[in-house]
Structures are given as structure tokens and as C-alpha cells.
Amino acid sequence: MATELKDVKYEVAVANRVLAELGLASGVLAALGHASMRVPSQPDTFVVKGRGYEMDALARMRPEDMVICDLEGYKVGGPPHATQCFEVKMHSCIYKTHPEVQSIVHVHPRYTVLMSVLQKRLLPMCNEGLYLVRDPLPVYDNPMVILTEEQGMETASLLGDSKAILFKGHGAATVGKSLQESVIFMLQLEEQAKMNWYAYCAAGPDHQGIPFDQADEVIEWLAKMPINELPHFTQEVRAAGVQTGGVWAYYADLVSKDLRRPWWRKMLG
Ligand SMILES: [Zn+2]
């Protein structure tokens, strides 16, 4: 358990740093947002970025800064000087009502916020995150931050089976089976929102998106990824497997260099 919690704190700290590195929590947004993960052996608790640090920025989070909370949003562990994140009810209520969700990300990404204020439905504009915007996303129709149990439960109820929910004029939340999944969903959501904004500027509010029948074909194909059925790939895939997940691996490596114990310190014990 102690080792597991240590690992979860490390992964959550890295995920918060990745959000900053991706530009999803930068500039005026540098301290805003939080990634969390359910503790696998204690699913009624989760680890999340808190508040009250000397340097309160997602880009600077360390494993020892992480806060542990229960499903009512109470802090049950973590550094004494830190509190839960203010919007902890967003996390606790989703975990409470969605046992399949293992990780949640909430940030205030600029293009996603912009499109939510314009009240323009996000259309599929590129392959990255196509499945996220195939159907209209649920919207919390109020820019108020999520502080109370009622607001948290409304968020969880609106989310339903979706992988993402928009908070009008405020931000978005994404959920996943892992930190990697919820972070990448958020990155893809913001990419679709950005492409929608570009199209809106270039061609007006009635711009085209990828036709839904073609989007469905791509979604189906990507879900199967039948590379190994292609004759020119069969042998190679058998040997090397199908490689995915490069974006997460690259950014997780990039942001975690100072968290790794230097070899010389290890030698000194
Ligand atoms: Zn927020």
C-alpha cells in the first residue's frame, strides 16, 4: 500500500506537469486545474493536486505535494500545509457515481472555453479526438466554479457515459481508465476546439466539419486498428506489436527529469 500510494502520487504529479507542458495550464491558467487518480487498492480514495503551496503551479508539482481525499471531498492525507483543490467535489462526485472512472482531469483550456461561450457545438475537424466530439458533449450551463456537493453531483449526472463535459465559460473535465487517458482526452478535446475556432474564423459559424458518416468509419477503424491484417505489416507487427501512446510517453519523460533520483545521490544512499 505504501509503495502503491507513492507510485500514484508520482504519477499524479507528473500528469499535472504534463497538463502545464501541453499549454493546458499555462500563463494566466498556470495554477488552475488538477489531475487526479483513484487509489487502486482503496477505490474510495483518490490522489489530486491541492492548494496552498509555496509555489502553486501545475508545472512544479512534486509527489510529496499531492493530497489524498475521500469520496465526500474530505482531505485524508498529504502535506499539512496544503488543502484539497477548491473544486474537489467535481472529482469526488464523479468517482462516487462512476466506479469505472479511474482518473479525472479538470483544466480551463482556452479554445474549449471560447467555443463553450459561443455555444457552438464542436464538430469533428481532425482525427485526433474525433470520437470525443462525434456526438454533442454535455454542458454545465453556468460559469460558476464547482464547490458544493449539489454542483458536484450535477456535474457527475450531466457527464453520464461521456468522456468529457464542458463548463460554459469555465473549462472542461475529462475522465478515463488511466491518467494517460484522461490527460490525452483533454489534449484532444482542446485540439478539436482549436480547429473549430479556426474554421469558424475562416468560414463563419456554418463551417463544415468532417461528415459524420466518414467520422464513424474512422472511429470504427481506429477502435480495431487492424494493421496486422495488412499483408505488408503482418510479420512486423508480430515481432514489434502495434505501438501507440507516444505523446504521453514523450511529455511524461520531458517533465519528470528533476523528479528522478540522480545516480550519484543513489550511490551516496
Ligand atoms: Zn475550474
Side-chain angles (χ1 to χ4, degrees):
M1 174 62 195
T3 314
E4 179 197 47
L5 198 54
K6 212 170 152 189
D7 289 345
V8 173
K9 285 180 177 179
Y10 181 91
E11 286 176 41
V12 176
V14 168
N16 279 284
R17 288 178 174 218
V18 168
L19 290 169
E21 185 67 30
L22 291 170
L24 297 167
S26 63
V28 72
L29 307 171
L32 303 177
H34 15 83
S36 74
M37 179 181 165
R38 203 193 283 271
V39 180
S41 69
Q42 286 196 302
D44 54 351
T45 62
F46 61 94
V47 172
V48 64
K49 175 193 174 291
R51 274 287 193 170
Y53 308 110
E54 203 171 312
M55 178 61 77
D56 193 346
L58 276 76
R60 293 288 182 88
M61 286 299 105
R62 301 166 304 172
E64 59 267 36
D65 294 325
M66 296 301 101
V67 168
I68 307 155
C69 294
D70 66 18
L71 298 191
E72 297 305 319
Y74 285 86
K75 180 184 170 190
V76 295
H81 58 274
T83 72
Q84 313 89 313
C85 59
F86 299 153
E87 295 185 290
V88 67
K89 287 287 189 182
M90 190 189 291
H91 298 258
S92 63
C93 290
I94 291 175
Y95 284 128
K96 193 160 50 178
T97 54
H98 292 67
E100 75 286 3
V101 169
Q102 302 304 320
S103 172
I104 301 169
V105 163
H106 169 57
V107 281
H108 303 171
R110 293 174 175 86
Y111 291 94
T112 302
V113 170
L114 183 61
M115 295 308 291
S116 76
V117 175
L118 291 174
Q119 299 190 50
K120 180 85 173 64
R121 184 210 154 156
L122 295 177
L123 295 173
M125 294 300 292
C126 57
N127 279 355
E128 295 72 33
L130 196 65
Y131 43 87
L132 290 174
V133 294
R134 167 61 182 84
D135 296 312
L137 287 169
V139 182
Y140 190 97
D141 194 25
N142 190 318
M144 185 66 89
V145 291
I146 307 301
L147 298 178
T148 68
E149 177 76 9
E150 290 69 31
Q151 291 168 325
M153 288 306 281
E154 191 183 345
T155 299
S157 161
L158 282 168
L159 176 70
D161 294 334
S162 179
K163 301 293 181 200
I165 177 170
L166 308 178
F167 299 96
K168 188 174 80 178
H170 168 189
T174 49
V175 301
K177 296 189 296 289
S178 63
L179 279 163
Q180 173 177 343
E181 200 171 76
S182 55
V183 169
I184 295 297
F185 282 163
M186 186 60 78
L187 177 63
Q188 293 176 336
L189 173 64
E190 176 68 344
E191 186 71 12
Q192 291 286 348
K194 190 191 289 185
M195 298 290 269
N196 271 264
W197 169 243
Y198 289 157
Y200 189 103
C201 294
D206 299 322
H207 67 79
Q208 293 287 312
I210 293 174
F212 290 119
D213 58 335
Q214 290 185 346
D216 289 341
E217 276 178 50
V218 173
I219 291 165
E220 200 181 325
W221 199 90
L222 287 175
K224 281 196 241 157
M225 242 352 216
I227 287 281
N228 56 348
E229 289 168 20
L230 301 173
H232 60 299
F233 269 110
T234 308
Q235 200 175 335
E236 303 308 321
V237 168
R238 204 175 292 140
V242 178
Q243 298 296 319
T244 58
V247 174
W248 169 260
Y250 169 68
Y251 282 101
D253 178 71
L254 190 70
V255 300
S256 62
K257 288 189 166 56
D258 67 303
L259 293 179
R260 291 175 217 151
R261 213 167 179 206
W263 67 269
W264 51 267
R265 204 183 293 166
K266 203 170 184 176
M267 284 185 75
L268 292 172

